Amino acid sequence: ILENPTIVIFAGDHGIAEEGVSNYPQDVTYQMVKNFLNGGAAINVFSKTNNLNLIIVDSGVNHDFVNSKNLVNAKISKGTKNFINQKSMNESELESCFAFGKEIVGEIHKKGCNIIGFGEMGIGNTSSASMIMSYILDLPLEECVGTGTGLNNKNLIKKLSVLKKSKEFHGTIDEIKKILQTYAGFEIVQMCAGMLEAYEKNMVILIDGFISSSAFLAAQKINSKISDNAFFCHQSSETGHSKLLKHLDASPI
């Protein structure tokens, strides 16, 4: 029996957005979070229609939210650093993300939930997801990088160029946590940690979209058994998503 189904949206900003890898300015992250909180987004309608609990988490949005009693505050800082020439976060921030992700899912489980869905919001986060995928699966960036929120061909070439420069700067990284520290957003690491905790609590795990799938890919490298509890909700049009799902031997619902 599925009890108290819950969807958690983790939101965070990304320093790499400074490089113009998205069609949209960084401000759209906090505007969308406000939209979630006001009940005006598609996920709100979907959750209400299907009688799902919806929880919004500020993992690291570049905005001060005031009087937002429905927002879970897990803010590490106001966005990651620009990974073109430095790591996205330091070790302390990485570990804080793991602690927050575990705690948030643990609290949800305590309320009798045994099925949890993971979603995200963060301008620039397809770039992080592509980097994580490229490193973990040892694939060229061309096979992992897509248009994100509707980039045209010219801007897609620019995005690929930025990410290649980043890879040249940081070089080879083998350890999963180091890959996350270098390229992930706070929301991606918190999702990864949350998924691992959901498995520990024997919850059904719903993975939706490319960014959530990249967080799952990292989680699966940390604990391969997590796949036993996971369902993949859809395959997006993002370039790397079908390859990522194929690697996981996952058939999206």
Side-chain angles (χ1 to χ4, degrees), residues 20-128:
V21 292
S22 171
N23 264 348
Y24 295 95
Q26 198 176 71
D27 283 357
V28 172
T29 304
Y30 90 78
Q31 289 165 0
M32 277 302 300
V33 170
K34 285 189 169 180
N35 199 17
F36 297 146
L37 296 171
N38 292 331
I43 192 61
N44 298 97
V45 178
F46 180 82
S47 300
K48 194 172 181 181
T49 305
N50 293 285
N51 200 24
L52 311 172
N53 301 313
L54 180 64
I55 294 172
I56 313 301
V57 178
D58 175 7
S59 305
V61 180
N62 187 18
H63 184 76
D64 292 312
F65 295 97
V66 290
N67 302 323
S68 293
K69 64 182 189 301
N70 295 325
L71 184 66
V72 175
N73 181 9
K75 193 193 289 284
I76 305 298
S77 73
K78 290 184 175 180
T80 54
K81 295 183 176 67
N82 186 345
F83 64 63
I84 197 165
N85 56 11
Q86 59 195 311
K87 289 182 171 69
S88 281
M89 62 191 83
N90 60 38
E91 280 188 29
S92 171
E93 290 169 332
L94 180 81
E95 291 308 321
S96 292
C97 283
F98 270 92
F100 270 127
K102 179 177 179 176
E103 181 187 350
I104 288 163
V105 171
E107 288 299 317
I108 292 166
H109 177 258
K110 277 183 192 172
K111 292 172 183 171
C113 168
N114 67 0
I115 176 166
I116 184 167
F118 290 85
E120 43 59 42
M121 177 62 214
I123 294 299
N125 65 8
T126 59
S127 292
S128 287

